[in-house]
Amino acid sequence: MSLLKAISGIVFLLCSVACGGVREFSVEVVAEYPHDTDSYTQGLFFRDGRLYESTGLNGKSTFREVDLKTGEAVRRLDFNDEYFVEGSVMMDDRLYILTWQNRQAFVYDADSLAYLETWQYPREGWGITTDGKCLYASDGSSYLYVMDGNYGHIRRIPVRKDGRSVRWLNELEFIDGKIWANVYVSDTIVIIDPEDGKVTATVDCSGLLPDSLRTRDTDVLNGIAFDDRTGKIYLTGKNWPRIYEVRLVRKR
């Protein structure tokens, strides 16, 4: 599929939301790739065609550049046992990494992955993404927080679906001007207008990982990555054995 065709398809689906109500989509698997089952996925994103992932749990937290075809880490940062790493994203020449309850957030050089600085963080860290100008973060509540490049607060966005708060917003990804958010402990992704926080669409991902690939360590759906070079969308979950390239299928 060409880049233009892929992006045009996403634009059509998301723009159709404006024609009335919250649209509902499911996903169709286009391709699948191996994923490290030791990766408790917290953040997933592409930059310049390269896939990056942050993983959580005390004593197992990492940040890594991942070879999509093999699932292996090309480069990797390991964190001290005291840190439970959460979402991650790159903006300009900096890599931003959140921690869950440590009340700390890190900054690294995006190219070399060299450590730059640590900032005090005012809330739990969950997901984080960027529109290229600002950072957008979640904390498991029904709010998204807009920040500058120094984690400084700009505004807070209340997220609503049909007038009701949507809680447990987790891993985030900017796709074509909208924020996609995993709803924690569910198979649902909500698509949010960052201007007013309204949910414009939902994506039902139930059944994405078949039962035959699940073990007792398999955890929830969490991980959305958009490759703007190809227009492709990828999904995975915590300790999943697969990363899936998917396309949206309209339900209504």
Side-chain angles (χ1 to χ4, degrees), residues 123-134:
R123 64 189 71 89
E124 287 189 359
W126 285 47
I128 189 169
T129 189
T130 181
D131 60 359
K133 299 178 182 179
C134 298

Side-chain angles (χ1 to χ4, degrees), residues 58 84-86 98-103 123-126:
N58 294 98
F84 190 122
V85 163
E86 283 276 348
L98 301 181
T99 60
W100 180 33
Q101 294 180 321
N102 298 96
R103 300 281 173 162
R123 64 189 71 89
E124 287 189 359
W126 285 47

Side-chain angles (χ1 to χ4, degrees), residues 123 131 134-137 144-148 152-158 179 193-197:
R123 64 189 71 89
D131 60 359
C134 298
L135 301 171
Y136 294 74
L144 297 178
Y145 301 86
V146 187
M147 302 176 292
D148 61 26
H153 179 79
I154 296 176
R155 66 186 178 100
R156 187 176 70 167
I157 305 170
I179 298 173
D193 186 333
E195 294 301 317
D196 57 15

